[in-house]
Structure formats: structure tokens, C-alpha cells
Amino acid sequence: MEVSTINSTIKFDRYKPLSDEECQARIIDAKKKLGKHAVILGHHYQRADVYRHADLTGDSLGLSKLASRTDADFIVFCGVHFMAEVADILSKPEQTAILPDMGAGCSMADMANLAKVERAWREIGEVLDPDEMITPVTYINSAADLKAFCGEHGGIVCTSTNARQILQWAFARRQKALFFPDQHLGRWTGYLLDIPLSEMLVWDPDLPMGGLTPQQIKMAKILLWKGHCSVHQMFQAQHILRWRQQHPGGMVISHPECNFEVCKLSDYVGSTDYILKTITSSGPGTRWLVGTELNLVNRIAEEQKPQGKVVQFMAPTVCMCSTMARIDPQHLLWTLENLVEGKVVNPIRVPAREAELARIALDRMLAVS
Ligand code: 13P
Ligand code: SF4
């Protein structure tokens, strides 16, 4: 297919006023015209009016594997920026990953950046040799340059599905781990590996030496970056305790980005895909309280209703991944119709050297999981 690249949001303006209904019909039409040249990947948190157009869906691990296997020329990623970067890194050079709205970032990923991680590495280096003693582990929810940092320093990427195996991999190589950017996933995973809470210390990147003493750095098994997900922080232990009083036979399932107390009080903890599969495979008439993003919870609730399952959202307020929701039918249509005309909007291209190093850390992860 002959293509040219445009990166202009001005061109989007004529799509803005389109109704959702009109977009739906035109998306279907554009998809037909593109055929196997384009594949649409959709994360579980994607809004329903976009999710329905996804050819393949999954959690972060599943989607990265799918991106590495597809033969489509264009990988249209209905997710967030770091996911499209992973698709670009793992796909073939002649393929193009596209993010329909460049504003679809991840607030957690933004809580760590290369300058801060390099500073942490230098500061830790005043106490011990990090390249000898510490495996850097980045959650997939991070920018490509942080994955590259891990690739360069003997480190690895993890997702919410494989964090446990990845930390085991890390400890088989070096005594300690620096885990960024999600302290909650790091703490929960360390807990599953029987690491005492007192040996998992928070590294605050905005304080000198992460706010720790040299002694604390020496004794810590895991240094947990002070980052979190703005959506999952809304779920609280009290929500579970109150619900259990009303529904003593019900089951609670949460994403490991939730805080430690929430994970501890939950019957099940796992990735978005794990949550979906666990509830789907449960018996008819079961009742669930779910601690993860609202679009996914609503979708599961709707799908499971015919089997008499009741699926409830954990927080009393609406918690959606507002950045992922920026990928709306209008942006998806804009992307697809431009592709039909041979124009690529919002391509995601990770610089070659960064991609090469990030790929090392991603390949280590894929080999482990
Ligand atoms: P999953 O890998 O479980 O899909 O999680 C991605 C994410 O961003 C959760 O907030
Ligand atoms: Fe990032 Fe949280 Fe959205 Fe997941 S739910 S993509 S961690 S902001």
C-alpha cells in the first residue's frame, strides 16, 4: 500500500462534530476497505463504542504478543501510548503502529521518566554498585526509554500477569530490584514472594536519595518507585468491608494496581484478562465486587447478566481511564479513513537505538512468560 504520513490535529477538526452513529457506520465501511492491511487492537478498558471495532482484544501482555505476531501493515492501537510503543518495538520494521489520539497517555507511566530513573541509579550508586546488586524492573506501563534503560542495565519488563515470574527472574540474577513506576504492583508481587513489607521501601524520586538513608538502601530487597494509577487508587479497603457485610457469599476480585489492603482483602488479584476470565468461568448466580476500570466492569456485568451473575463496581464514584477514553469513534474513524486514502495519522515510532535496547528488556520478559 502506498502511504504518506500526516501528524496534524487540524485535519481532525472535520471529524469532531460527527455523531457517534455516523462514525459507527463509516468505521465499519473503512475497515472493510482496509481488509487485512489494518488490524485494530483494543485494550479491555477501551470504551464500548470503540471496543466493538477491535479485531483482537486483551490485556497488556496479550496485546504485546498479538502485536508481535500480526502480519497487518498497520496496527491501530486502541489503548494508551506505551502500548502503541510496545507494538512498534515488537512488530516488523515495515509495519506501522498507530495511536488514534496522541493524548491517550497513562498517568502512571508519566510518574517515572528517564532523568529521574538515571538520577536514582546514580544516587543508589553512592551506597552500592547497582549494576552488580540491583535488577531494574519496569512495569510495561512506562515509556520506551525506561524499557531501554532496563535493557541496558540487565533489567526486564513485567506486566500485571507475569510480575511474579519476572521478579523471580530478577532475584535469580541480582540480590535486589528497583521496581518502577507502580509501587502497588511491586509491593503486592514482593508479598507473594514472601518478602517482608519492611524490606520493600518506597523510593521517592522527588527527594534526595529517594528519601532513604544509606542503611535503608543497603537493607531493602525491593526499592518501590513512588508511583500509582489514578484510577485504581480510588478503590479502598472500606468499600470491600462494607460490601462483604451486605453480601457475605460474594467474591471480590481486584487488579494488582490497587493498594495493598485492597489486594489483601480480595479473593482474587490479577490482570484485566485474569479478571475477565475468572468471572466468566464462575458458576451461574455468583456475585462479584470488582476493583478495576469501569468500562471493563460494565462490559463483564452486561455479558454475565444472562447467567444470573451480579457484577458490581468497587468504588462509589465513577473511575474511568480518562486518557484511554480519548480514543473515541471520531478519532478511530479519522485514523481509518486516512489510511484508506493512503495517509498515516499519528504513527508511533520509537527511535532505533531506544527500540533496540527496549526490545532486549521486552524479549527477556517474553522468554520468561
Ligand atoms: P493489564 O495488563 O492487566 O491489562 O493492565 C493494564 C493497565 O494499564 C491496568 O491499569
Ligand atoms: Fe494507566 Fe491507570 Fe489508565 Fe491503566 S488505568 S492505563 S495504569 S492511567
Side-chain angles (χ1 to χ4, degrees), residues 130-150:
D131 284 291
E132 282 274 310
M133 302 275 290
I134 303 187
T135 305
V137 180
T138 188
Y139 188 23
I140 198 164
N141 296 36
S142 57
D145 56 3
L146 293 185
K147 296 182 177 83
F149 177 92
C150 289

Side-chain angles (χ1 to χ4, degrees), residues 3-30:
V3 289
S4 64
T5 298
I6 54 167
N7 211 338
S8 155
T9 43
I10 301 159
K11 299 246 175 356
F12 172 68
D13 284 352
R14 71 193 162 92
Y15 285 84
K16 248 193 231 166
L18 296 182
S19 71
D20 285 352
E21 292 70 39
E22 182 170 2
C23 288
Q24 298 301 333
R26 283 170 58 178
I27 288 170
I28 293 168
D29 192 43

Side-chain angles (χ1 to χ4, degrees), residues 178-324:
L178 171 64
F179 192 99
F180 46 87
D182 186 18
Q183 60 168 303
H184 299 300
L185 176 65
R187 187 178 291 107
W188 179 248
T189 311
Y191 172 77
L192 294 179
L193 293 176
D194 291 328
I195 298 171
L197 291 177
S198 58
E199 291 179 26
M200 296 191 268
L201 300 183
V202 174
W203 179 276
D204 184 340
D206 295 322
L207 293 175
M209 298 297 279
L212 301 175
T213 64
Q215 194 47 38
Q216 286 175 312
I217 294 171
K218 277 185 199 148
M219 62 76 65
K221 186 78 180 158
I222 309 183
L223 292 168
L224 301 167
W225 195 264
K226 195 177 176 197
H228 64 268
C229 165
S230 47
V231 177
H232 290 84
Q233 72 166 352
M234 304 302 283
F235 306 119
Q236 298 298 325
Q238 76 210 30
H239 301 147
I240 301 180
L241 296 172
R242 215 176 298 142
W243 188 83
R244 282 210 196 275
Q245 278 177 356
Q246 291 157 6
H247 309 288
M251 281 172 288
V252 180
I253 189 163
S254 302
H255 195 279
E257 287 173 14
C258 293
N259 71 43
F260 183 70
E261 288 72 30
V262 167
C263 290
K264 229 172 149 214
L265 284 168
S266 299
D267 299 295
Y268 303 91
V269 179
S271 77
T272 52
D273 213 47
Y274 173 84
I275 291 173
L276 177 67
K277 286 181 177 144
T278 305
I279 301 178
T280 305
S281 61
S282 67
T286 44
R287 183 182 280 273
W288 292 87
L289 184 69
V290 190
T292 199
E293 204 266 355
L294 187 60
N295 279 303
L296 174 58
V297 180
N298 282 345
R299 188 175 312 119
I300 303 175
E302 210 44 50
E303 283 169 8
Q304 298 304 308
K305 216 190 275 171
Q307 284 140 65
K309 293 183 210 174
V310 179
V311 178
Q312 290 174 273
F313 187 60
M314 193 177 286
T317 48
V318 171
C319 324
M320 292 208 308
C321 182
S322 55
T323 43
M324 199 175 297

